[in-house]
Amino acid sequence: MRYRGHLTYHLLLLLPSTIILHNGALIAASGLQCFLKGRCGDMNCTWNSGRELVMDGTYTFHFRSLKYTSAGQVGVVPFLRGRQWVLVPRRNLTCSDQYEVWVEGPDNDSNDTTLGHGMFSMEEIEKPDPPVLGVEISEASSEVIVTWKTNHESEDHLHSRFQLRYRECGTQNWTWVNEEDIEPDSYEFSHLEAFTEYEVQIRHVLRDRKVPKSDWSHPIVFRSPTAAPVGLVDLWWYLDKGCSSLTVLWKELEPKAAKSHNVTYTVSYREGGAHGGSLRSITVLCCNIIIPHSVQYISISAANSVGRTQTASLNLEHSDFPPPEGVKAKGNHVGLQVSWKPYRRLPQEYVVQWNEAVNRSAATIRWKRVEPTNHNVTLTDGFQPQVPYLVSVYGLYPHGYTGPVSVLGYVEEGVPSVGPDIMVRSVSPTKVLVLWDDIPLLQQRGVITHYTIYTRSSGSQVLRSENVSVGRNSSLLHVHPSTSYQLWMSASTSAGEGRKRYIEFTSQGGGHVVLIPASAFSPCPDAVLLPVVFVSLTVIFAILCILGLLFHQRIVGVGRWILPEWCCQSIPDPMHSKITIQSQHKDADGSQGAFLQCLYLGVDTADPLLTTVEEISEPAASLTGDVHDSQRGERCSGSLDPPYQAELTPSSAGPWDMSDAPVARPLQSLIISGYEKHFMPSAEFLEQYS
């Protein structure tokens, strides 16, 4: 057993790498190799165990010089299980020396076991640094030259060779350049696709030496020179029914076809066909233009600083050939699949156009050209589920186009979100006609396959149902006279039945009358919205009232600045005036009736007894002045001496009782505010009516 173990140990020293099985467990490393990254770099040793080292514990990497054996020094670098490399510092190594390396790890008996072994010379494991790349591009001559520099000495440079590879950006496979075509420090690329991004790498290989190749250099990315654009512009058109102009649409050239950043498009058109009037041209950037709707021939080409593409043309005359038939649009896991039946005369090509059925405009138009031998195509354009798309198929011929044939398509259908609007009319005492409107397109969420009508009479638990095919908007129902009914109606798609509309009606005993629904639709959003609006208005009104009470004075002050003067003028009320309350003038019975009658000029009093007035002769001027002054209210102001009542004498109408004769007494002055003057007649007014 000892001999076999000693023999095994010597075999390990001879092999560069090995695998050892210890008690049935794989614990060895294989493919042990070391290299120096440059002459001044550290030594990197790696191995490939094939499996992870299974024993727990600390593993160690050992290296020992074979040239200076007398020293007998062994370097040790520990590492943990699962690691497959170690790094030995360059200061621990000697140039032009030979080394022995091995890996040791624990076994089941807690002893160290040699897992891998190798021997090498320091000169043999030196890996050169990768060259440094540069690129020179000439737009005038369309040349791309790649150059590089190395860090090695001149004698090594004479024995050097290089490996060069390149690929188009975004691809996986590399293209290798033949080493015989590579110059010592440059390489000129040919047959590159114009205006395309490439990446290139290079590595250094020394001749006649057992030295590992250098690492690949960092890739350098460049774009090849521009060229004239190629291909045809994809041209189409759109005519809105409500518009008097034609919109010309085209797709921007892809970078590979454009061959440049700066591309312009020239649109040419004639009115009245290809051989009509004069040709007009407009140069624009991208990617639509509006022209007169009477144009029937359009052509377009793309150009850059180098050249231009061929001209793509389109004839807008309507052809007499029959359009495609049996157009269908159905969603699948990829997109929207469109198929149709061909006609016996094949066109030059088909054009499949699509856009949202609800939001139709020139900006939403998409199209795709299909070969005449193909009768189906799968569209992938980020379609949204449960959204209707209008798909149209055209056939293009040399002398015009046919179609379009349009259908609605969904990539994924759903159930309708609402039911149809219902109306019930009486046809006879035993028959009613149910009418309904189409569900709005956006709320259908799929292609409607049929409608379903549910009815139930009052007092009955039996619910009758009837399916109605699409294309009809009415159905005749048999009812009992003078009976109340409940009616539900729904629409169905391939995804299932949608929400129902509800209505109640009563059949009449005789006569042809229009039935009035007994209740509105039950799932109506307005029924929920009305209480919310009412509560909101009530809260707002209460808040305004509170604010009005709190800021009453401020609101009145602001109103006086904004409103006219007559709106803020207050007219006094004599019945509630403070002047009246403060007045001490009272009648004989203690009341203030006479005083109030004096203030209210419009109040009529009882006529006095007929008497003869004995006038006192005075100067006319004085009398006139008194009259005028009293009419102007100066008597009431207290500026004159209080006048006395005139003496009255009995008239011939009857005896005069001296006891009833009024006694002359002075009138006390009244307390007047002065505002009453506004209501007294002026002197001019009295002279006019005297």
Side-chain angles (χ1 to χ4, degrees), residues 574-584 586 592 595:
M575 291 294 295
H576 303 86
S577 176
K578 294 181 180 180
I579 302 299
T580 304
I581 298 174
Q582 296 174 0
S583 176
Q584 301 298 326
K586 299 183 180 180
Q592 297 178 347
F595 176 72

Side-chain angles (χ1 to χ4, degrees), residues 541-552:
F541 180 75
I543 294 174
L544 292 178
C545 291
I546 295 172
L547 293 177
L549 293 175
L550 294 176
F551 302 99
H552 171 70

Side-chain angles (χ1 to χ4, degrees), residues 415-632:
V415 298
S417 59
V418 297
D421 291 336
I422 317 168
M423 181 181 295
V424 180
R425 294 182 180 273
S426 177
V427 177
S428 69
T430 59
K431 294 181 180 179
V432 295
L433 185 65
V434 181
L435 306 173
W436 62 88
D437 295 332
D438 293 333
I439 299 176
L441 187 59
L442 191 60
Q443 297 175 336
Q444 293 182 9
R445 298 184 178 181
V447 179
I448 295 179
T449 57
H450 64 277
Y451 298 96
T452 305
I453 300 175
Y454 303 90
T455 56
R456 182 173 61 189
S457 60
S458 60
S460 175
Q461 299 298 327
V462 179
L463 187 66
R464 296 185 301 173
S465 63
E466 177 184 353
N467 291 337
V468 183
S469 60
V470 178
R472 296 172 52 188
N473 290 81
S474 63
S475 179
L476 195 63
L477 297 180
H478 295 273
V479 296
H480 297 288
S482 302
T483 305
S484 297
Y485 284 89
Q486 295 175 327
L487 186 145
W488 295 267
M489 189 171 184
S490 64
S492 300
T493 63
S494 60
E497 185 179 7
R499 300 183 62 179
K500 301 179 181 63
R501 288 276 190 173
Y502 171 71
I503 193 175
E504 294 180 3
F505 67 93
T506 302
S507 60
Q508 301 298 318
H512 303 279
V513 296
V514 178
L515 298 181
I516 301 176
S519 63
F521 303 134
S522 56
C524 183
D526 297 338
V528 180
L529 184 61
L530 185 59
V532 175
V533 174
F534 179 75
V535 173
S536 302
L537 292 178
T538 304
V539 173
I540 293 174
F541 180 75
I543 294 174
L544 292 178
C545 291
I546 295 172
L547 293 177
L549 293 175
L550 294 176
F551 302 99
H552 171 70
Q553 297 297 334
R554 184 172 296 180
I555 293 174
V556 172
V558 174
R560 290 178 178 176
W561 287 93
I562 299 176
L563 298 177
E565 183 179 357
W566 58 267
C567 294
C568 303
Q569 186 177 14
S570 59
I571 300 175
D573 185 3
M575 291 294 295
H576 303 86
S577 176
K578 294 181 180 180
I579 302 299
T580 304
I581 298 174
Q582 296 174 0
S583 176
Q584 301 298 326
H585 298 283
K586 299 183 180 180
D587 295 340
D589 56 356
S591 64
Q592 297 178 347
F595 176 72
L596 295 176
Q597 290 178 7
C598 179
L599 292 180
Y600 282 101
L601 299 179
V603 176
D604 295 334
T605 58
D607 295 336
L609 296 176
L610 296 176
T611 58
T612 302
V613 179
E614 182 179 353
E615 298 181 357
I616 300 175
S617 59
E618 290 183 2
S622 176
L623 178 61
T624 305
D626 291 342
V627 172
H628 288 180
D629 292 341
S630 68
Q631 294 296 336
R632 294 182 183 181

Side-chain angles (χ1 to χ4, degrees), residues 39 46 56-57 73 112 170 177 221 250 273 281 365 376 411 426 472 501 547 567 582-583 590 616 630:
R39 293 190 174 183
T46 61
D56 293 331
Q73 296 180 354
D112 292 338
V177 178
V221 179
W250 64 89
S281 299
I365 292 293
N376 61 81
V411 291
S426 177
R472 296 172 52 188
R501 288 276 190 173
L547 293 177
C567 294
Q582 296 174 0
S583 176
I616 300 175
S630 68

Side-chain angles (χ1 to χ4, degrees), residues 103-123:
V103 177
E104 291 184 356
D107 60 7
N108 291 339
D109 297 331
S110 300
N111 297 321
D112 292 338
T113 303
T114 302
L115 308 179
H117 181 271
M119 290 183 295
F120 53 82
S121 173
M122 289 290 291
E123 296 179 353

Side-chain angles (χ1 to χ4, degrees), residues 64-71 94-99:
R64 182 176 58 188
S65 173
L66 297 179
K67 185 175 182 181
Y68 304 98
T69 56
S70 59
T94 305
C95 294
S96 303
D97 198 355
Q98 291 185 350
Y99 283 89

